[in-house]
Amino acid sequence: MRRKAFSPWVINTVKHLVALSSRAFPWRATYLMVLKALDQVAEAYLRRRPVVWHNVFFPTEILYGLRVVPFAPEAASALAVGLGLASEALNAASAHWVATDICSFHRLAAGLDLAGYFPTPDAVVCTSHLCDIAPQSLAWSADRHGKPFYLLDVPQRAKAEDATYVARQLKYIFYSLARDLGLSPDMEALKAAIGRSNEARRLLLEINADRQKLPAVIRGEEAHGFLYLMLTGWGADFTEEVYRELLEELKTRRREKKWAASREKFRLLWLHLRPYYPTEIFKILEEESGAIVVFEEMHHVYWEELDLDRPFYSLALKVLGHQGLSFMERRIQTILDMVREFNAQGVIHFAHWGCRQSTAGIRLLQEALRRENTAFLNLDGDCIDREKYAGGGVRTRLEAFLELLAASRLH
Amino acid sequence: MKAEQGTKRDENLLGWFCSYTPLEIVRALGFRPYRMLPPLGRAPRADGFFAGNLCPYVKACLENALEGRFPPVLGLLLVPSCSAMTHLANLWRALELSGPVWVIDVPRSYNSLAVDYFSRRLEEVALQMASFYGRRLYKEDLWQAIEEEKQRKERLKGFLEERAAGNVFLRGARVLELLEEGINGANTFPDPGEGSAVPRDRLRLLLLGSIVPSYLLDMVEQAGAVSVVEDACNGWRLLPGEACGADSPYTYLAHLYLSKPPCPRMVADKGRRRRYLQDLLSRYRIDGAIYHVMKFCDAGLMDWILVKEELDLRGIPVLRVEGDYTGGGRGQWSTRVEAFLERLRR
């Protein structure tokens, strides 16, 4: 029955209901983003154009440049948690031998696909960087659906020859997808997508610059919602639209002195993702304690403006520019820069169970932050599986962290 | 060739981990490659540096380095085959455990783009190492190292294939030892007297996993079966692939390593991995399989699904056991292995 809830008719009905309830959204930009996301989901289910699954680190400009409908199973997993589908889907995955030690984003995605919730892909693309399980899981899905799978193999380094290697693969993927899906590989459309990506990037840089100002006007819990664009929307027209709206609202609220908290006590930086089921984390931090999450590592713009005349090469540089690649010094330096730029007194890393990439190097980061006298909390948990959430323990740890921050201020 | 193990000082050792490491370059530079394959055991010190959800083999490597249990090496030639290995490289450098860490990206597919890129990287790293250590690297030396390594590995391959075909027999644990000795440079091969009579009427098993512990092979034999193929990073994945004529030794090596028995990390080559398994299953009589999944190994955890699908298609039963590189849980494994073999006998 619930599977039928994903029919185009129901999605359109939901869209109309959302459209009528704009006041339920504290930010107009959020409202706009939800409407656009629903449009995109509806397109995927209506299948008027080919649907290409991708991981969240794939440069989606390629997909928007091909005018296909991108679909990110990892992002859909986060959405499915909110819709209450997690238990059923996780059970479906377990029944198909998907082990519980695998990242729950991918276990859930596998389960949702097996249970018939996802739109069938016409092709699957994935990068190899930052996450070991994404390419494994997406390759398995492509195989299961009998669809082509293209891996973008990303080296750890970002020298010219590495960029050339990635660029050549991107070009190959662009033309191969066009061939497989019966599309015309239109370079002008790709350039247009890259142009939109550049404009969205410019707006996000302005948004981030605004968020550096004191005090904050948007709470971390609200800002986290916009990660959907960061992970799926580069090259789409709506990304630019939503960022423009958000920037306008940030400026208006700052002008009107509508602050994120009546009294901003601490400024925090958030690393990795957040749980997608209801928790008290942001209530404890932002509402009860005035500790505002002023920035998320995932919102960091790590790449330069893309070159319209060298689309594949500049996209390769974008991919290789991620702070999580290469040795840990790179990520640590990026985080230290963020701490300084955003005037953060503390850093919280949400250690999502199943993510080897983000959690394994935390000891070195912790030591680097300690040397800079920046408080650090490594908060263990799971973004998807609410059964791994221990509310009491989380509160205790957050309160201890806040006491530490207060004590540091006194000294 | 166990001389380099233990704590005996050897000025010429260069450490490596992954079966995609081009040992020929190490030898051509005049080093002796030393595989960092630590003994099974707990890793309490490494646990302080790594998160709990990380590959226990990688933790054991760090533990043994921290405890000074590896012989001193002049550096590491490290393939960042997964996130865990990348983080091992981070810590190795940060803690200044021994010598520089030479990182060489190995593509996750075997195609012309990958060969081209990999061969360039091989040459670059080889020349950087030569410059750093003040050694000369001539192409002729590299071709010679390639030829010697080829002969050694071809002999190992021939022996393993004979064993898989049931023409010779050697205890599984001894086979793993021979492979380790062989890749560390020994030319010791089982002499005719070393093997014992080929056991007849015993169940023939395929063992799979990232690293298959030798005591699992002992367990299988004690329970009355034999392991005939070990599809593992300390087993058949050490064997070479096919390399056609290439002008450059680096291009030759790129072909040789990218086409070797595929590890599950070669994610763009799932079709080749599937065909490799199908080939093994059609060439050799396999009555059952045991998959040893290393805890938190994403590639292995997903490969298990592929392997199970292939075995199910052929009606070959498979037992999955999970390991954490501590050597614990032997009693439970033993019971499960015995029950599995009992089921196969029925």
Side-chain angles (χ1 to χ4, degrees):
Chain A
M1 187 64 193
R2 275 194 291 180
R3 242 161 272 169
K4 288 184 181 166
F6 277 71
S7 70
W9 181 84
V10 174
I11 289 169
N12 274 331
T13 308
V14 170
K15 195 190 156 192
H16 286 301
L17 288 173
V18 170
L20 292 171
S21 53
S22 62
R23 290 190 180 180
F25 294 88
W27 292 77
R28 287 193 313 274
T30 312
Y31 168 68
L32 187 60
M33 183 181 69
V34 170
L35 286 180
K36 299 291 179 184
L38 280 169
D39 274 345
Q40 199 174 26
V41 171
E43 280 211 5
Y45 283 92
L46 287 167
R47 308 191 58 78
R48 289 191 187 126
R49 289 182 287 142
V51 176
V52 178
W53 288 15
H54 67 95
N55 70 323
V56 293
F57 299 116
F58 190 84
T60 46
E61 291 88 344
I62 293 280
L63 306 179
Y64 289 105
L66 281 166
R67 298 193 186 95
V68 298
V69 183
F71 181 82
E74 294 146 306
S77 288
L79 178 68
V81 175
L83 296 173
L85 303 174
S87 291
E88 179 197 345
L90 289 172
N91 287 339
S94 294
H96 277 74
W97 306 99
V98 180
T100 50
D101 281 338
I102 287 173
C103 165
S104 51
F105 277 100
H106 290 278
R107 274 200 295 138
L108 183 54
L112 288 164
D113 183 28
L114 288 162
Y117 285 113
F118 279 174
T120 311
D122 294 296
V124 180
V125 293
C126 190
T127 66
S128 66
H129 69 313
L130 304 175
C131 174
D132 291 336
I133 196 64
Q136 295 283 347
S137 152
L138 288 183
W140 178 66
S141 297
D143 190 41
R144 229 173 57 75
H145 289 284
K147 300 296 178 186
F149 172 75
Y150 294 101
L151 178 79
L152 180 67
D153 184 46
V154 182
Q156 293 282 330
R157 291 190 326 177
K159 291 195 174 176
E161 68 194 73
D162 308 297
T164 302
Y165 173 51
V166 175
R168 289 172 73 189
Q169 293 180 76
L170 281 169
K171 189 174 181 181
Y172 173 76
I173 292 171
F174 180 74
Y175 283 99
S176 300
L177 279 178
R179 182 201 59 214
D180 293 343
L181 304 175
L183 303 167
S184 165
D186 182 352
M187 283 305 289
E188 290 309 310
L190 177 61
K191 283 183 184 179
I194 286 182
R196 291 193 293 271
S197 174
N198 278 340
E199 180 57 13
R201 174 185 171 278
R202 188 189 65 74
L203 291 163
L204 181 57
L205 282 172
E206 276 199 58
I207 289 167
N208 292 351
D210 186 272
R211 293 184 69 192
Q212 289 177 10
K213 294 175 187 165
L214 280 69
V217 293
I218 184 168
R219 290 190 289 116
E221 184 168 31
E222 297 163 333
H224 258 102
F226 293 98
L227 282 176
Y228 175 77
L229 300 176
M230 191 73 186
L231 302 174
T232 66
W234 294 101
D237 49 6
F238 61 80
T239 304
E240 198 182 323
E241 217 177 314
V242 174
Y243 281 156
R244 185 165 288 117
E245 184 68 43
L246 177 60
L247 180 62
E248 196 53 44
E249 282 184 280
L250 286 171
K251 284 179 177 171
T252 305
R253 290 197 188 196
R254 185 167 298 283
R255 212 168 34 241
E256 294 172 354
K257 295 186 169 32
K258 286 184 179 171
W259 312 126
S262 53
R263 191 172 155 235
E264 183 178 290
K265 288 186 187 163
F266 307 109
R267 294 171 66 84
L268 305 176
L269 175 66
W270 190 275
L271 309 182
H272 205 251
L273 297 165
R274 55 159 291 186
Y276 288 94
Y277 44 86
T279 71
E280 280 194 318
I281 293 174
F282 286 93
K283 180 170 171 275
I284 295 166
L285 291 172
E286 299 188 316
E287 291 178 28
E288 294 177 11
S289 314
I292 304 297
V293 173
V294 292
F295 195 58
E296 307 76 34
E297 181 192 13
M298 288 275 184
H299 264 133
H300 173 56
V301 179
Y302 52 84
W303 67 99
E304 298 296 317
E305 187 173 294
L306 304 172
D307 182 349
L308 267 66
D309 294 325
R310 301 183 78 194
F312 300 113
Y313 193 79
S314 57
L315 283 174
L317 289 178
K318 176 185 176 183
V319 170
L320 289 167
H322 198 284
Q323 69 273 10
L325 273 171
S326 186
F327 290 120
M328 188 67 188
E329 291 101 287
R330 189 172 173 189
R331 185 178 180 205
I332 290 174
Q333 190 53 55
T334 308
I335 290 167
L336 293 179
D337 289 346
M338 285 179 204
V339 167
R340 196 188 63 251
E341 289 163 4
F342 286 84
N343 281 295
Q345 292 90 43
V347 176
I348 296 179
H349 173 253
F350 190 74
H352 169 62
W353 180 256
C355 179
R356 332 279 178 220
Q357 189 275 332
S358 186
T359 56
I362 285 307
R363 169 73 182 261
L364 293 178
L365 172 65
Q366 187 175 14
E367 286 173 3
L369 288 168
R370 190 177 292 146
R371 283 194 294 273
E372 299 287 322
N373 292 320
T374 303
F376 177 73
L377 174 66
N378 192 41
L379 192 59
D380 292 316
D382 193 295
C383 294
I384 296 291
D385 191 351
R386 74 173 68 208
E387 287 179 18
K388 293 204 173 81
Y389 181 74
V394 167
R395 176 174 276 279
T396 306
R397 297 204 64 203
L398 288 175
E399 287 176 349
F401 178 64
L402 291 163
E403 280 174 25
L404 176 77
L405 280 170
S408 321
R409 177 162 288 176
L410 284 176
H411 290 97
Chain B
M1 186 90 167
K2 290 274 189 183
E4 54 263 50
Q5 292 195 355
T7 54
K8 186 181 169 188
R9 191 160 190 87
D10 185 328
E11 295 297 335
N12 257 338
L13 288 186
L14 205 86
W16 63 283
F17 300 91
C18 173
S19 63
Y20 284 91
T21 313
L23 303 183
E24 292 83 349
I25 290 176
V26 179
R27 290 192 205 289
L29 283 165
F31 296 114
R32 289 205 303 137
Y34 175 77
R35 190 174 203 189
M36 315 294 268
L37 195 60
L40 302 177
R42 299 200 174 276
R45 284 187 71 189
D47 276 335
F49 288 93
F50 282 133
N53 62 346
L54 205 76
C55 168
Y57 160 68
V58 165
K59 282 188 182 177
C61 287
L62 181 65
E63 181 74 15
N64 279 265
L66 290 168
E67 292 291 329
R69 292 193 203 119
F70 284 130
V73 291
L74 293 171
L76 293 180
L77 184 53
L78 185 141
V79 170
S81 44
C82 58
S83 288
M85 288 306 294
T86 306
H87 283 296
L88 179 64
N90 281 325
L91 279 168
W92 206 283
R93 291 169 77 247
L95 300 170
E96 297 178 359
L97 287 172
S98 60
V101 180
W102 306 97
V103 174
I104 186 154
D105 279 301
V106 177
R108 290 165 180 82
S109 58
Y110 178 38
N111 55 39
S112 59
L113 288 178
V115 168
D116 179 60
Y117 175 73
F118 190 34
S119 60
R120 285 167 196 266
R121 290 287 289 123
L122 289 175
E123 182 165 12
E124 184 187 336
V125 170
L127 295 178
Q128 281 175 349
M129 287 170 70
S131 167
F132 180 85
Y133 293 108
R135 302 199 175 199
R136 294 185 177 187
L137 181 61
Y138 297 110
K139 281 194 176 173
E140 304 81 65
D141 293 340
L142 186 49
W143 277 119
Q144 190 186 333
I146 287 171
E147 187 55 35
E148 286 170 7
E149 193 72 12
K150 185 180 168 189
Q151 285 180 17
R152 195 168 16 241
K153 285 187 176 170
E154 286 299 332
R155 286 180 67 187
L156 284 170
K157 186 179 176 186
F159 171 73
L160 291 178
E161 287 177 345
E162 284 293 302
R163 170 174 166 261
N167 299 329
V168 294
F169 175 76
L170 201 61
R171 281 184 45 247
R174 178 68 188 129
V175 170
L176 296 188
E177 271 176 20
L178 274 173
L179 272 167
E180 194 187 334
E181 290 166 9
I183 53 165
N184 277 331
N187 282 312
T188 49
F189 292 95
D191 52 47
E194 189 172 357
S196 51
V198 178
R200 304 288 169 197
D201 306 323
R202 283 202 177 197
L203 293 165
R204 294 164 51 81
L205 302 187
L206 163 67
L207 270 85
L208 308 102
S210 45
I211 291 174
V212 173
S214 59
Y215 73 84
L216 179 59
L217 301 180
D218 290 339
M219 214 174 266
V220 164
E221 284 160 12
Q222 282 159 16
V226 290
S227 167
V228 292
V229 176
E230 295 81 21
D231 174 46
C233 300
N234 57 338
W236 287 45
R237 288 179 204 157
L238 292 165
L239 297 178
E242 300 289 331
C244 47
D247 292 338
S248 154
Y250 301 103
T251 308
Y252 184 92
L253 285 173
H255 277 290
L256 193 72
Y257 277 88
L258 293 180
S259 67
K260 77 177 189 63
C263 158
R265 60 94 58 184
M266 303 298 276
V267 65
D269 270 354
K270 287 287 177 197
R272 204 164 69 81
R273 169 132 183 88
R274 201 180 277 278
R275 287 192 298 278
Y276 174 75
L277 285 169
Q278 289 166 348
D279 183 52
L280 284 179
L281 296 171
S282 61
R283 278 167 65 195
Y284 306 116
R285 199 197 96 203
I286 304 285
D287 300 314
I290 299 179
Y291 202 123
H292 172 256
V293 180
M294 187 75 79
K295 208 153 171 55
F296 308 122
C297 172
D298 287 330
L301 289 165
M302 288 305 288
D303 186 57
W304 152 252
I305 301 174
L306 181 149
V307 169
K308 178 146 177 55
E309 283 169 6
E310 280 303 318
L311 294 170
D312 282 353
L313 277 174
R314 286 165 178 73
I316 299 174
V318 55
L319 170 71
R320 176 185 145 149
V321 293
E322 196 169 83
D324 60 3
Y325 213 80
T326 62
R330 294 185 194 208
Q332 191 198 47
W333 277 15
S334 181
T335 308
R336 293 187 64 206
V337 167
E338 283 172 20
F340 177 64
L341 296 180
E342 196 55 46
R343 179 183 151 208
L344 287 181
R345 287 190 189 99
R346 283 195 211 122

